[in-house]
Amino acid sequence: MEFSEVLKKRRTHRHFLEDPVEKEVLEAILHAATRAPSAGFTQASRFLVLTNPEAREKFWSIVATPQWREKSKSHAGLDNAPVLIIPFSNQSAYIDRYQRDDKRYAQKKIESDFPSPYWTIDTAFAAMLVQLAIVDAGLAYLFFGLPVDRSLLLEAFNIPSIYEPIGVIALGHPANNDPSASSKVQVRLHQDDLIWMNDFKR
Ligand SMILES: Cc1cc2nc3c(=O)[nH]c(=O)nc-3n(C[C@H](O)[C@H](O)[C@H](O)COP(=O)(O)O)c2cc1C
């Protein structure tokens, strides 16, 4: 698919079919994560991929009540999504990386030395590449923030506590080709509203 087509097609979907995602297609989607940039080339983002029904059920039992799963209209069929990808950041890896000889000049020893949270930025960039790869594969996805205490998830999947989930990507075949508007009050802004060309624009 042309990149311009991927951009045009990228929308949030909230209803999925149970149809599985082929192994090779999933491999290609996950490969996109390896193409992400990272500060100091730290490459500390990790991705928990849940494909088997038991693992997915364990996930949903942690993040959603049975009532919500049965009754939510806005997200009906979200838990049909055959693949869940949970991207994790790792702040401590950046503190370690910037102590190495080739980076020590940057004087970044503690969190507040970083001008912004590079660990979150890098994981979000990688997660975005994965999202674009999903669209490129002709599939659909929802990215959502984790609605529960992250420690529950770490414990359930034996993940060390240095890792911070930044959200969840549910992906699969869309139940319809018409992604519902996520908000009744927000409209997509025009490019001119986003861009300050050469100076701040009111
Ligand atoms: C950090 C983040 C958290 C989000 N959380 C949710 C969520 O909890 N539920 C949901 O339905 N959509 C969620 N979304 C999707 C947004 O609602 C969606 O991207 C936005 O409304 C624009 O729609 P579009 O992606 O179709 O362009 C989230 C998106 C981001 C980036």
Side-chain angles (χ1 to χ4, degrees):
M1 204 184 284
E2 288 287 327
F3 184 64
S4 57
E5 191 67 11
V6 172
L7 284 185
K8 209 190 303 172
K9 287 217 160 107
R10 194 218 59 78
R11 288 295 315 279
T12 291
H13 289 254
R14 296 176 175 82
H15 316 288
F16 295 92
L17 303 175
E18 286 178 2
D19 302 9
V21 170
E22 280 175 40
K23 203 161 171 276
E24 304 73 50
V25 173
L26 181 58
E27 278 301 310
I29 289 168
L30 296 174
H31 178 72
T34 70
R35 303 303 307 154
S38 62
F41 209 8
T42 304
Q43 302 178 88
S45 302
R46 295 292 179 269
F47 302 82
L48 174 66
V49 182
L50 306 178
T51 55
N52 77 45
E54 296 75 31
R56 286 188 281 124
E57 188 50 40
K58 185 155 73 168
F59 170 85
W60 285 117
S61 70
I62 293 169
V63 306
T65 63
Q67 292 86 333
W68 185 85
R69 289 171 69 184
E70 265 171 42
K71 300 224 168 91
S72 171
K73 285 204 176 77
S74 59
H75 294 72
L78 173 59
D79 59 1
N80 284 340
V83 183
L84 299 163
I85 303 175
I86 305 164
F88 290 87
S89 65
N90 174 0
Q91 186 204 88
S92 65
Y94 288 76
I95 307 288
D96 294 347
R97 172 70 187 99
Y98 278 77
Q99 295 318 301
R100 301 238 317 262
D101 289 347
D102 65 326
K103 276 286 170 199
R104 208 168 286 138
Y105 72 91
Q107 303 263 340
K108 292 178 175 30
K109 294 195 179 118
I110 55 172
E111 181 178 350
S112 58
D113 291 335
F114 288 80
S116 47
Y118 287 178
W119 38 94
T120 313
I121 292 172
D122 288 352
T123 306
F125 281 4
M128 190 72 242
L129 292 187
V130 168
Q131 290 163 60
L132 295 177
I134 293 167
V135 178
D136 189 42
L139 297 172
Y141 77 89
L142 165 68
F143 180 96
F144 60 104
L146 254 191
V148 291
D149 181 348
R150 75 178 177 121
S151 64
L152 298 173
L153 198 75
L154 299 185
E155 203 178 302
F157 293 97
N158 303 309
I159 295 165
S161 60
I162 51 169
Y163 291 104
E164 174 98 36
I166 68 156
V168 184
I169 302 168
L171 75 108
H173 297 268
N176 58 50
N177 282 323
D178 182 25
S180 52
S182 45
S183 168
K184 307 268 181 281
V185 294
Q186 295 283 93
V187 291
R188 192 173 302 280
L189 295 179
H190 187 272
Q191 182 167 337
D192 291 346
D193 301 320
L194 306 182
I195 312 295
W196 300 326
M197 193 65 86
N198 299 317
D199 202 355
F200 177 74
K201 189 176 103 183
R202 269 170 227 286

